[in-house]
Amino acid sequence: MNAVDFARHRVLVCLFIDALEREGRWVDRARLHSEYATDVDERLFTSVVEGLRARGWATVYYDGPNDGVVTTVAMLDAFAHADALAEILRSLDARVFEADWQTRHIRTDAAGDVDLLIPRPAGWTVTLIARERPADPSPVATGAQIAGRDIYHFHGTVEGGGVHHGGGSESLWTRWGTIFGGASVVLAVIAIGAAWYFWRHA
Protein backbone atom coordinates (compact mmCIF):
# COMPACT_ATOMS: atom_id res chain seq x y z
CA MET A 1 0.00 0.00 0.00
CA ASN A 2 1.16 3.56 -0.67
CA ALA A 3 1.75 6.23 1.98
CA VAL A 4 -1.81 7.55 1.85
CA ASP A 5 -3.37 4.09 2.09
CA PHE A 6 -0.99 3.27 4.94
CA ALA A 7 -2.02 6.40 6.87
CA ARG A 8 -5.70 5.72 6.18
CA HIS A 9 -5.29 2.15 7.45
CA ARG A 10 -3.51 3.17 10.66
CA VAL A 11 -6.07 5.87 11.45
CA LEU A 12 -8.93 3.43 10.92
CA VAL A 13 -7.30 0.81 13.18
CA CYS A 14 -6.78 3.45 15.89
CA LEU A 15 -10.39 4.62 15.68
CA PHE A 16 -11.63 1.02 15.67
CA ILE A 17 -9.64 -0.03 18.75
CA ASP A 18 -10.51 3.19 20.57
CA ALA A 19 -14.22 2.76 19.84
CA LEU A 20 -14.12 -0.64 21.56
CA GLU A 21 -13.00 0.92 24.86
CA ARG A 22 -16.11 2.99 25.43
CA GLU A 23 -18.59 4.90 23.34
CA GLY A 24 -18.26 8.62 22.86
CA ARG A 25 -14.47 8.87 23.01
CA TRP A 26 -13.07 11.39 20.57
CA VAL A 27 -9.74 10.91 18.81
CA ASP A 28 -7.54 13.69 17.51
CA ARG A 29 -4.00 13.82 16.13
CA ALA A 30 -2.53 14.41 19.62
CA ARG A 31 -4.11 11.22 20.96
CA LEU A 32 -3.01 9.27 17.89
CA HIS A 33 0.55 10.40 18.57
CA SER A 34 0.61 9.93 22.35
CA GLU A 35 -1.37 6.69 22.66
CA TYR A 36 -0.94 4.94 19.31
CA ALA A 37 2.47 6.21 18.18
CA THR A 38 0.88 7.30 14.92
CA ASP A 39 1.93 10.59 13.37
CA VAL A 40 -0.34 11.91 10.64
CA ASP A 41 -0.32 15.34 9.06
CA GLU A 42 -3.32 17.47 10.11
CA ARG A 43 -4.62 17.84 6.57
CA LEU A 44 -4.26 14.11 5.90
CA PHE A 45 -5.96 13.21 9.19
CA THR A 46 -8.85 15.55 8.41
CA SER A 47 -9.15 14.14 4.90
CA VAL A 48 -9.13 10.54 6.17
CA VAL A 49 -11.81 11.07 8.83
CA GLU A 50 -13.92 13.15 6.45
CA GLY A 51 -13.75 10.22 4.04
CA LEU A 52 -14.98 7.95 6.83
CA ARG A 53 -17.79 10.38 7.59
CA ALA A 54 -18.78 10.44 3.90
CA ARG A 55 -19.10 6.66 4.04
CA GLY A 56 -21.29 6.96 7.13
CA TRP A 57 -18.68 5.38 9.41
CA ALA A 58 -17.56 8.26 11.62
CA THR A 59 -18.66 11.43 13.32
CA VAL A 60 -16.29 14.39 12.84
CA TYR A 61 -16.15 17.51 14.96
CA TYR A 62 -14.04 20.64 14.63
CA ASP A 63 -12.78 22.22 17.86
CA GLY A 64 -11.63 25.80 17.83
CA PRO A 65 -10.11 27.87 16.62
CA ASN A 66 -7.76 27.79 19.59
CA ASP A 67 -4.91 30.21 19.02
CA GLY A 68 -5.99 30.31 15.41
CA VAL A 69 -5.82 26.52 15.04
CA VAL A 70 -8.85 24.31 14.36
CA THR A 71 -8.50 20.79 15.76
CA THR A 72 -10.22 17.90 14.03
CA VAL A 73 -11.62 15.19 16.28
CA ALA A 74 -13.37 12.03 15.14
CA MET A 75 -15.14 9.01 16.52
CA LEU A 76 -16.02 5.75 14.79
CA ASP A 77 -19.76 5.16 14.93
CA ALA A 78 -20.93 1.99 16.65
CA PHE A 79 -23.10 0.85 13.73
CA ALA A 80 -20.04 1.02 11.41
CA HIS A 81 -18.21 -1.67 13.42
CA ALA A 82 -18.73 -4.44 10.85
CA ASP A 83 -17.74 -2.31 7.85
CA ALA A 84 -14.64 -0.97 9.59
CA LEU A 85 -13.59 -4.46 10.68
CA ALA A 86 -14.06 -5.83 7.17
CA GLU A 87 -11.86 -3.01 5.79
CA ILE A 88 -9.16 -3.70 8.39
CA LEU A 89 -9.19 -7.42 7.60
CA ARG A 90 -8.77 -6.69 3.90
CA SER A 91 -5.85 -4.35 4.56
CA LEU A 92 -4.18 -6.90 6.85
CA ASP A 93 -4.96 -9.80 4.52
CA ALA A 94 -6.39 -11.48 7.60
CA ARG A 95 -9.41 -13.48 8.66
CA VAL A 96 -9.16 -12.65 12.36
CA PHE A 97 -8.68 -9.33 14.16
CA GLU A 98 -9.80 -9.21 17.80
CA ALA A 99 -8.94 -6.41 20.24
CA ASP A 100 -9.72 -6.73 23.96
CA TRP A 101 -9.41 -3.74 26.30
CA GLN A 102 -9.65 -5.88 29.45
CA THR A 103 -6.60 -7.96 28.59
CA ARG A 104 -5.00 -5.23 26.41
CA HIS A 105 -4.45 -7.89 23.81
CA ILE A 106 -4.94 -8.33 20.05
CA ARG A 107 -5.31 -11.65 18.26
CA THR A 108 -4.88 -11.80 14.51
CA ASP A 109 -3.69 -13.96 11.65
CA ALA A 110 -2.49 -10.91 9.71
CA ALA A 111 0.21 -11.25 7.09
CA GLY A 112 3.14 -8.84 7.20
CA ASP A 113 4.75 -6.73 9.89
CA VAL A 114 2.14 -6.35 12.65
CA ASP A 115 4.19 -3.66 14.41
CA LEU A 116 3.78 -1.43 11.37
CA LEU A 117 0.28 -2.48 10.38
CA ILE A 118 -1.38 -2.60 13.81
CA PRO A 119 -0.99 0.57 15.88
CA ARG A 120 -1.98 -0.01 19.50
CA PRO A 121 -1.78 1.68 22.89
CA ALA A 122 1.40 1.26 24.92
CA GLY A 123 1.56 -2.00 26.84
CA TRP A 124 -0.68 -3.91 24.44
CA THR A 125 0.45 -7.25 23.04
CA VAL A 126 -0.29 -8.94 19.75
CA THR A 127 -0.57 -12.68 19.29
CA LEU A 128 -0.23 -14.05 15.78
CA ILE A 129 -2.40 -17.11 15.38
CA ALA A 130 -2.20 -19.75 12.69
CA ARG A 131 -4.42 -19.05 9.75
CA GLU A 132 -7.28 -21.49 9.50
CA ARG A 133 -7.16 -23.27 6.19
CA PRO A 134 -10.57 -23.95 4.64
CA ALA A 135 -11.27 -27.62 4.13
CA ASP A 136 -10.58 -28.57 0.53
CA PRO A 137 -13.46 -30.57 -0.94
CA SER A 138 -11.91 -33.82 -2.15
CA PRO A 139 -13.13 -35.15 -5.51
CA VAL A 140 -11.86 -38.64 -4.63
CA ALA A 141 -14.56 -40.87 -3.16
CA THR A 142 -13.74 -42.96 -0.12
CA GLY A 143 -14.04 -46.73 -0.05
CA ALA A 144 -17.30 -46.48 1.88
CA GLN A 145 -18.76 -44.14 -0.72
CA ILE A 146 -17.99 -46.39 -3.69
CA ALA A 147 -18.91 -49.70 -2.07
CA GLY A 148 -21.59 -51.53 -4.03
CA ARG A 149 -21.32 -49.22 -7.04
CA ASP A 150 -20.16 -49.92 -10.57
CA ILE A 151 -16.76 -48.41 -11.25
CA TYR A 152 -16.13 -46.99 -14.70
CA HIS A 153 -12.76 -46.07 -16.13
CA PHE A 154 -12.59 -43.45 -18.84
CA HIS A 155 -9.75 -43.56 -21.37
CA GLY A 156 -9.41 -41.32 -24.39
CA THR A 157 -12.30 -39.40 -25.91
CA VAL A 158 -15.96 -40.31 -25.59
CA GLU A 159 -16.34 -40.40 -29.40
CA GLY A 160 -13.67 -43.07 -29.58
CA GLY A 161 -15.64 -45.46 -27.44
CA GLY A 162 -13.24 -44.97 -24.55
CA VAL A 163 -15.60 -46.11 -21.79
CA HIS A 164 -14.54 -49.44 -20.31
CA HIS A 165 -16.39 -51.18 -17.55
CA GLY A 166 -14.24 -52.28 -14.64
CA GLY A 167 -13.70 -56.08 -14.39
CA GLY A 168 -12.38 -58.09 -17.36
CA SER A 169 -14.41 -61.30 -16.77
CA GLU A 170 -17.62 -59.32 -16.49
CA SER A 171 -16.89 -57.60 -19.82
CA LEU A 172 -16.18 -60.99 -21.45
CA TRP A 173 -19.50 -62.45 -20.30
CA THR A 174 -21.32 -59.35 -21.48
CA ARG A 175 -19.68 -59.63 -24.91
CA TRP A 176 -20.55 -63.34 -25.31
CA GLY A 177 -24.06 -62.72 -24.03
CA THR A 178 -24.54 -60.11 -26.73
CA ILE A 179 -23.27 -62.50 -29.43
CA PHE A 180 -25.52 -65.36 -28.27
CA GLY A 181 -28.49 -63.01 -27.97
CA GLY A 182 -27.97 -61.75 -31.51
CA ALA A 183 -27.61 -65.28 -32.88
CA SER A 184 -30.84 -66.32 -31.13
CA VAL A 185 -32.74 -63.47 -32.75
CA VAL A 186 -31.40 -64.43 -36.20
CA LEU A 187 -32.35 -68.11 -35.72
CA ALA A 188 -35.82 -67.12 -34.51
CA VAL A 189 -36.37 -64.98 -37.61
CA ILE A 190 -35.22 -67.86 -39.87
CA ALA A 191 -37.51 -70.33 -38.06
CA ILE A 192 -40.52 -68.02 -38.41
CA GLY A 193 -39.74 -67.47 -42.07
CA ALA A 194 -39.44 -71.22 -42.70
CA ALA A 195 -42.70 -71.96 -40.89
CA TRP A 196 -44.48 -69.31 -42.91
CA TYR A 197 -43.01 -70.68 -46.18
CA PHE A 198 -44.12 -74.27 -45.46
CA TRP A 199 -47.56 -73.07 -44.35
CA ARG A 200 -48.04 -71.18 -47.63
CA HIS A 201 -46.96 -74.11 -49.78
CA ALA A 202 -48.53 -76.93 -47.87
Side-chain angles (χ1 to χ4, degrees):
M1 64 180 72
N2 60 39
V4 175
D5 291 335
F6 182 69
R8 184 182 289 120
H9 164 74
R10 284 183 66 93
V11 169
L12 181 58
V13 172
C14 294
L15 290 173
F16 180 82
I17 293 175
D18 214 71
L20 296 176
E21 200 259 344
R22 66 173 180 268
E23 241 180 283
R25 191 174 185 194
W26 295 94
V27 178
D28 59 10
R29 284 181 60 243
R31 286 203 51 230
L32 287 182
H33 173 73
S34 63
E35 296 185 27
Y36 290 91
T38 297
D39 293 315
V40 182
D41 176 84
E42 181 69 39
R43 287 175 297 181
L44 184 56
F45 175 72
T46 300
S47 178
V48 168
V49 296
E50 280 292 350
L52 294 175
R53 179 166 73 171
R55 297 169 78 174
W57 292 10
T59 301
V60 180
Y61 172 71
Y62 294 96
D63 184 24
N66 297 316
D67 297 327
V69 177
V70 176
T71 302
T72 305
V73 293
M75 177 179 59
L76 191 69
D77 294 333
F79 54 79
H81 177 90
D83 291 328
L85 179 57
E87 181 83 11
I88 291 168
L89 290 172
R90 277 192 294 270
S91 297
L92 294 174
D93 187 21
R95 295 193 178 106
V96 177
F97 183 83
E98 300 169 354
D100 186 353
W101 272 92
Q102 289 186 338
T103 60
R104 301 173 69 82
H105 186 74
I106 295 172
R107 291 176 70 253
T108 184
D109 61 350
D113 188 343
V114 295
D115 289 329
L116 284 175
L117 295 172
I118 304 177
R120 54 199 180 272
W124 279 56
T125 57
V126 176
T127 298
L128 279 175
I129 60 175
R131 178 166 297 192
E132 295 181 8
R133 296 178 59 188
D136 294 328
S138 176
V140 180
T142 64
Q145 290 173 317
I146 63 175
R149 298 184 186 176
D150 290 333
I151 303 171
Y152 291 90
H153 301 281
F154 294 85
H155 304 283
T157 61
V158 174
E159 302 89 80
V163 180
H164 304 283
H165 194 283
S169 60
E170 206 172 314
S171 298
L172 186 61
W173 282 112
T174 302
R175 192 174 303 139
W176 280 108
T178 303
I179 293 171
F180 284 129
S184 299
V185 170
V186 171
L187 290 174
V189 170
I190 293 173
I192 291 171
W196 179 81
Y197 176 81
F198 286 118
W199 175 76
R200 290 279 296 179
H201 296 85

